[in-house]
């Protein structure tokens, strides 16, 4: 898994590209505080020919976001996250993205 951050000079925005290698998966979505933990089409990653799911979203910079991937219905974290935060509601850690 990988996270690429591209800060824009013209706007207070960071383009964040999420990459998840999951050849056998049919669907990968990223959910988090930036989309109210809802599976939205805008945050569904596209499957590439090499089996990696990839997608880019614009997020406000100078913020921190908690997130997780949903790979075919199973929640998973990103080992490339900036940090991890315990979530009592889920009873698990969330990945953290610091922009």
């Amino acid at each position: 898994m990988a996270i690429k951050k591209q800060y824009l000079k013209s706007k207070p925005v960071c383009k964040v590209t999420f990459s998840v290698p999951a050849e056998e998966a049919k669907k990968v979505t990223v959910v988090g505080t930036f989309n109210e933990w809802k599976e939205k089409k805008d945050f569904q990653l596209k499957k590439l020919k090499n089996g990696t799911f990839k997608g880019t979203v614009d997020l406000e910079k100078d913020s921190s976001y908690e997130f997780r991937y949903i790979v075919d219905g199973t929640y998973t974290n990103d080992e490339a996250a900036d940090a991890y935060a315990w979530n009592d509601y889920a009873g698990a850690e969330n990945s953290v993205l610091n922009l």
Side-chain angles (χ1 to χ4, degrees), residues 10 20 39 44 60 70 82:
S10 59
V20 180
E39 287 189 73
Q44 188 171 327
E60 191 174 314
I70 303 176
D82 296 323

Side-chain angles (χ1 to χ4, degrees), residues 72-85:
D72 287 344
T74 302
Y75 284 84
T76 186
N77 280 322
D78 193 322
E79 69 265 6
D82 296 323
Y84 299 95

Side-chain angles (χ1 to χ4, degrees), residues 1-98:
M1 293 179 212
I3 300 169
K4 180 182 168 195
K5 302 173 188 174
Q6 180 185 4
Y7 293 91
L8 302 182
K9 292 180 181 175
S10 59
K11 299 178 190 173
V13 166
C14 181
K15 288 189 169 293
V16 180
T17 302
F18 297 97
S19 299
V20 180
E23 281 186 52
E24 305 300 318
K26 295 194 180 340
K27 181 179 172 185
V28 177
T29 306
V30 62
V31 295
T33 53
F34 44 77
N35 65 0
E36 299 174 348
W37 297 97
K38 295 191 178 4
E39 287 189 73
K40 296 182 178 179
K41 192 168 179 111
D42 294 350
F43 294 90
Q44 188 171 327
L45 307 183
K46 291 185 172 74
K47 190 169 190 176
L48 305 179
K49 289 182 182 177
N50 67 3
T52 297
F53 285 80
K54 197 173 196 176
T56 302
V57 295
D58 291 351
L59 298 175
E60 191 174 314
K61 69 178 191 173
D62 299 323
S63 296
S64 289
Y65 302 94
E66 291 186 25
F67 75 97
R68 296 186 89 185
Y69 299 112
I70 303 176
V71 180
D72 287 344
T74 302
Y75 284 84
T76 186
N77 280 322
D78 193 322
E79 69 265 6
D82 296 323
Y84 299 95
W86 181 258
N87 181 299
D88 284 332
Y89 179 77
E93 287 186 325
N94 292 330
S95 300
V96 176
L97 182 63
N98 295 318

